[in-house]
Amino acid sequence: EGSEKGFLVRELLAAKARSGLSYDEIAKGLGVTNLYAAQLFHRQARLVDRLQEPLAKLVPLDKQVLNAMQQCPLRSYDPALLQEPLVYRLYEAMMHYGVSIR
């Protein structure tokens, strides 16, 4: 992904790898779920103010990156996702039966 979000995600994942910590370990250090911790590093969730300093202590991130993590993430869509059979079948079911299910 060549976007600004893609660049930031690559930078975040590289910093996580350098820290040697798992999402579970980061989550425990922050007092959050491992899902939220993973979403932070994939820019799928916003970093709340109170977690900025604890996260910086766990993972080597500069102030500019931490500030970017505090912005509301933009949703993105990768068309290649529909190549995954399970995702395609779920998409297909929603396209055919979504109105009835709703």
Side-chain angles (χ1 to χ4, degrees):
E1 190 174 327
S3 68
E4 185 177 327
K5 178 180 176 178
F7 176 77
L8 184 57
V9 168
R10 284 191 297 278
E11 193 170 327
L12 289 167
L13 293 176
K16 178 189 167 293
R18 286 191 300 274
S19 77
L21 297 174
S22 69
Y23 289 124
D24 288 334
E25 293 167 324
I26 293 169
K28 185 176 181 181
L30 296 176
V32 299
T33 66
N34 60 355
L35 175 62
Y36 177 68
Q39 286 176 324
L40 287 173
F41 284 86
H42 290 275
R43 286 297 293 133
Q44 296 172 338
R46 185 175 92 60
L47 177 65
V48 295
D49 292 340
R50 68 178 178 79
L51 296 178
Q52 186 172 357
E53 188 176 322
L55 180 60
K57 288 179 181 175
L58 290 169
V59 180
L61 297 167
D62 65 41
K63 189 77 169 162
Q64 185 178 8
V65 171
L66 289 166
N67 288 337
M69 291 176 77
Q70 290 187 294
Q71 303 302 313
C72 289
L74 298 175
R75 303 289 182 212
S76 60
Y77 171 73
D78 182 0
L81 209 65
L82 285 179
Q83 303 303 310
E84 166 62 38
L86 175 64
V87 173
Y88 177 79
R89 290 296 175 206
L90 289 171
Y91 175 79
E92 183 179 50
M94 293 311 301
M95 293 305 295
H96 288 288
Y97 305 109
V99 174
S100 299
I101 293 171
R102 193 175 91 186

